Structure formats: structure tokens, C-alpha cells
């Protein structure tokens, strides 16, 4: 009778352990956001919101083009052109823009950078491959593989705030923060 109870308890414990491992493999506490280009939340995508440019009075009102429905406006955001201008280039010039190419290549140019990065990333992912149960249950090992390369945004924000560097898009300090 005692032996039968031990066997029954052992079977129950083994079943419970197998069930808990199965359930643990089904869920993921978070999905790697860097691997997704679109936001999956119900809220607005903070990187998809572009504020309009400041209104300015043109030098000559008669030189303004006639408004067209659905057309562009001089206050519409143009982030790509603004970045090119900030780097010393001319928007729309493309690869012929010597100033932009010169600034981007100021520290040297690696001819095969994309191929080199792809090989290095593949090697890193192979060395940090998913464990057997992660592969069996299809669990994403992205965070574990790149944990030593991740950036803690809160400690980084504190680091720069302590040095007096402002960031207008960062959340304001809470009570009790330095």
C-alpha cells in the first residue's frame, strides 16, 4: 500500500513538473522591440510623431506657391532633409553630395561593413545560441544573447543629467531624483 502511494505521489509530482515546464515555455515576458519596426501597443508610436516646423513669415508673400489639396507645406516635417542639412549636405543631392559623403567618411570607410557585421553577428548568435528547451518551445533568446550589449536607458539618463546635459524629450525628474 505504501509503495503504491509513493508511486502515485511521484507520478503526480512528475506530471506537475512537466506541466509547469510546458507552461513556462509557452509564454514570454516580453518581446524584443528592437526586432520590430512597428509598435504593437495601442498607444501612439513616439518615434512616428513628428512635430511641425515653426511658422515663419516668408520674405515675399507673392512668391508663395498656390495651395494644393494634399500637397506639401513649408511647415511639414522633413526629418531626412533636416538631417542631411545638419551634416552639411544638400537635400536631394544623393550620393553626389560631396560635403555629406566627406563628413560621413571623416573617420574612414570600411568597404565591406555590412558583410563584416553580418558575419560577426552570426558568430555572436551562434556562440549565444538558444538552449535545448528554448529551441524546442520556440522561446526567443534575443535578450539573453545581447544582454551584455544592452543599454539601461534610466541609468544613462541619470549619467547625463549629473553632468548637466539636458534632453528635452526625456521625462521630467520625479520627486526625490537627483
Amino acid at each position: 500500500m505504501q509503495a503504491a502511494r509513493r508511486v502515485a505521489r511521484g507520478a503526480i509530482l512528475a506530471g506537475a513538473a512537466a506541466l509547469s515546464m510546458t507552461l513556462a515555455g509557452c509564454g514570454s515576458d516580453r518581446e524584443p522591440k528592437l526586432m520590430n519596426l512597428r509598435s504593437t501597443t495601442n498607444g501612439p508610436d513616439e518615434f512616428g510623431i513628428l512635430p511641425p516646423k515653426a511658422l515663419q513669415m516668408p520674405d515675399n508673400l507673392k512668391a508663395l506657391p498656390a495651395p494644393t489639396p494634399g500637397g506639401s507645406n513649408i511647415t511639414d516635417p522633413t526629418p531626412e532633409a533636416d538631417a542631411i542639412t545638419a551634416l552639411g549636405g544638400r537635400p536631394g543631392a544623393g550620393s553626389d553630395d560631396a560635403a555629406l559623403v566627406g563628413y560621413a567618411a571623416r573617420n574612414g570607410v570600411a568597404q565591406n561593413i555590412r558583410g563584416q557585421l553580418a558575419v560577426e553577428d552570426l558568430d555572436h548568435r551562434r556562440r549565444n545560441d538558444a538552449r535545448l528547451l528554448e529551441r524546442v518551445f520556440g522561446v526567443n533568446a534575443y535578450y539573453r544573447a545581447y544582454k551584455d550589449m544592452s543599454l539601461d536607458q534610466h541609468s544613462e539618463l541619470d549619467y547625463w543629467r549629473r553632468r548637466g546635459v539636458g534632453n528635452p524629450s526625456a521625462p521630467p525628474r520625479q520627486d526625490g531624483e537627483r
Side-chain angles (χ1 to χ4, degrees):
M1 192 70 165
Q2 290 289 339
R5 285 185 181 166
R6 281 191 206 136
V7 171
R9 274 193 211 138
I12 291 172
L13 288 175
L19 180 63
S20 65
M21 285 176 48
T22 302
L23 291 176
C26 290
S28 178
D29 58 335
R30 58 188 179 146
E31 185 179 318
K33 292 182 182 177
L34 294 177
M35 295 170 47
N36 301 317
L37 296 176
R38 302 257 185 254
S39 175
T40 57
T41 62
N42 291 335
D45 181 6
E46 61 270 15
F47 295 109
I49 299 172
L50 296 173
K53 294 180 182 175
L55 292 176
Q56 298 175 355
M57 184 60 130
D59 295 332
N60 183 357
L61 293 175
K62 294 185 189 246
L64 289 175
T68 56
S72 64
N73 188 328
I74 59 174
T75 62
D76 287 345
T78 53
E80 187 175 323
D82 294 343
I84 291 171
T85 304
L87 293 173
R90 293 181 328 242
S95 61
D96 297 336
D97 193 342
L100 179 61
V101 172
Y103 187 81
R106 70 191 179 282
N107 294 324
V109 177
Q111 294 300 320
N112 187 24
I113 189 66
R114 290 179 191 266
Q116 178 184 347
L117 288 176
V119 168
E120 290 174 4
D121 184 57
L122 181 61
D123 180 53
H124 179 78
R125 285 186 286 124
R126 281 187 178 149
R127 283 185 279 117
N128 294 282
D129 197 12
R131 296 181 182 116
L132 177 64
L133 289 178
E134 290 174 335
R135 288 194 301 264
V136 168
F137 292 109
V139 175
N140 194 320
Y142 174 86
Y143 282 113
R144 189 177 51 75
Y146 289 100
K147 184 176 184 178
D148 58 334
M149 296 181 193
S150 66
L151 179 69
D152 180 7
Q153 61 187 5
H154 300 292
S155 64
E156 200 63 25
L157 180 60
D158 291 340
Y159 172 85
W160 289 107
R161 279 184 173 166
R162 284 192 303 270
R163 283 154 182 75
V165 178
N167 184 343
S169 65
R173 293 176 190 231
Q174 301 296 320
D175 292 337
E177 282 187 336
R178 299 178 231 146

